[in-house]
Amino acid sequence: MTTSAAPSSTGSPPDRRRLLTPAFVGLAVADLAYFTAVGVSVLALPLYVTGPVGAGTAGAGLAFGAFAITALILRPAAGRLADTVGRRPLLLCGALLCAVGMVATAHVESLALVVAIRLLAGVGEAAFFVAGFAALVDIAPPTRLGEALSYNSLGLYLGITGGPLLGGLLIAVGGFTGAWYGAAVLALVAAAVVLTIGETRDPAAADAEPSPLIHRGAVAPTLGLLASIIAMGGFLAFAALHAADLRMVATGVPLATYGAVVVVCRIAFARVPDRFPPLALGTAALCLIAAGLVVMAATPTTAGLILGAVVLALGITFSTPAFFAAVFATAAPSERGAASATASIALDLGLGGGPIVLGLVAGAAGIPGAFVVAAAVALVGAGWTAILHRRAGLAGLRADQYGSTS
């Protein structure tokens, strides 16, 4: 099934409806607060587990990754609930569960309890993330969806990037308790902002049949998204280690460069995703991602690593808006939660499984070898996405139907 909530074709009349409405801005602020809270935990959790909890690095890894288990399992259910119950209840519950988890972590000193809390955090993450994307599509003007996705993603990037910096400051001032309570306050801010947004789901969608747990039409473009996330995950996991091998003094520079380029380009080129068919843009983005990884692998120097990070970041700038636009082009308003859940599964699989597999490659062939394999994954994804784009063109689909395979 298709819907008109997707990018328009090149040459179509511009959509004059406002994008920066109070609801859009409110959702962006809620995302920023929520993901900054998550960013605080990114720094605080491993230090807390290896410090007061008294576990080793293996325990820190277990605690860190535990949330992904429940998040992955529950995303489809969250998608159906977002379509049947509404977006706001899931956004609110997700933010509140995050706050509860942060406060609870401050008062436990057992690895088993920390892991249990992290599993609960995965429930909240599934609810908030899935409902947030569905709400964004509800709010955004149909022909400005790519622009909306570009701007909205800044909350996640800035939160995950700035959260650890804030976490370090909170730990320095108030210890771990201060960090966990500070993160909880941010999550509560997200919940409070959600209350001001209201329900974004189309009232007519409430009478529709329950959406599927896995949205079949979204699967094909999601595979392209998965390829981009696997490739990105390989870079994020091994960039600092590769920088250390190259004897860079500041091993975080490649990651900082990558993040800065994505943020700046998402703002500067926010309207680009709406000017091209999403699957064509997704193909080009995957080619850029592959090119960046090849540059890093083939040029084992500081300059090569930085240049590769910049090229890869340019690809990531356009890949997420393009693929999510293609995914949502397959979904009616009553199916946006299911489509969001299906697409976001790629994030768990790509960021979780990708570094594991590429880590085995790095152990056998070195980090440059892992970058080459990641580039190959991106190129396979580009080929698959190009086939989808060509198939859609041969079928005579309009731009608002790109990504549809049903």
Side-chain angles (χ1 to χ4, degrees):
M1 178 176 290
T2 60
T3 181
S4 61
S8 62
S9 59
T10 303
S12 298
D15 194 328
R16 300 300 183 185
R17 280 178 287 178
R18 290 176 59 203
L19 174 61
L20 300 180
T21 61
F24 181 88
V25 174
L27 183 61
V29 171
D31 282 345
L32 178 60
Y34 178 88
F35 288 111
T36 301
V38 172
V40 170
S41 73
V42 167
L43 176 86
L45 185 66
L47 297 175
Y48 187 69
V49 170
T50 57
V53 174
T57 54
L62 175 62
F64 193 91
F67 88 98
I69 298 173
T70 44
L72 176 61
I73 293 173
L74 293 178
R75 284 192 195 277
R80 174 171 287 183
L81 286 172
D83 287 330
T84 55
V85 177
R87 325 302 193 205
R88 186 168 73 164
L90 267 74
L91 285 166
L92 186 60
C93 288
L96 291 177
L97 281 174
C98 178
V100 169
M102 298 298 181
V103 171
T105 304
H107 298 285
V108 300
E109 294 186 356
S110 160
L111 178 61
L113 289 176
V114 172
V115 170
I117 292 169
R118 292 289 290 170
L119 290 171
L120 179 66
V123 178
E125 198 274 343
F128 191 92
F129 195 95
V130 169
F133 267 104
L136 177 65
V137 182
D138 295 336
I139 293 169
T143 57
R144 300 182 69 178
L145 179 56
E147 184 182 359
L149 287 163
S150 295
Y151 288 138
N152 181 264
S153 66
L154 295 176
L156 188 153
Y157 269 92
L158 293 174
I160 296 298
T161 302
L165 298 176
L166 176 61
L169 177 62
L170 291 173
I171 291 172
V173 174
F176 286 108
T177 299
W180 294 124
Y181 272 81
V185 169
L186 287 167
L188 290 175
V189 169
V193 174
V194 165
L195 289 175
T196 69
I197 296 173
E199 179 55 57
T200 65
R201 183 186 57 161
D202 185 349
D207 299 326
E209 292 292 324
S211 60
L213 291 175
I214 299 295
H215 192 274
R216 187 178 66 177
V219 171
T222 293
L223 292 176
L225 175 65
L226 176 60
S228 71
I229 299 300
I230 290 174
M232 179 186 71
F235 168 75
L236 295 177
F238 302 114
L241 293 176
H242 191 49
D245 291 341
L246 297 176
R247 302 183 183 278
M248 287 183 65
V249 176
T251 57
V253 168
L255 290 171
T257 300
Y258 160 83
V261 171
V262 171
V263 169
V264 171
C265 289
R266 286 267 171 93
I267 296 172
F269 303 118
R271 297 184 179 181
V272 169
D274 294 318
R275 296 176 180 174
F276 299 93
L279 292 175
L281 185 61
T283 301
L286 281 165
C287 290
L288 279 173
I289 292 169
L293 289 163
V294 168
V295 168
M296 292 181 224
T299 313
T301 64
T302 297
L305 179 55
I306 297 299
L307 176 61
V310 170
V311 176
L312 182 144
L314 287 173
I316 293 296
T317 294
F318 301 113
S319 63
T320 304
F323 282 113
F324 269 97
V327 163
F328 285 117
T330 71
S334 61
E335 301 168 335
R336 287 172 181 163
S340 174
T342 301
S344 62
I345 287 174
L347 301 178
D348 294 322
L349 295 177
L351 292 177
I356 293 174
V357 174
L358 293 173
L360 297 175
V361 176
I367 292 177
F371 286 160
V372 169
V373 172
V377 171
L379 287 176
V380 170
W384 168 253
T385 306
I387 291 172
L388 294 180
H389 172 64
R390 177 175 173 79
R391 184 182 301 169
L394 291 175
L397 298 182
R398 303 185 308 274
D400 69 344
Q401 295 172 314
Y402 267 90
S404 176
T405 59
S406 56

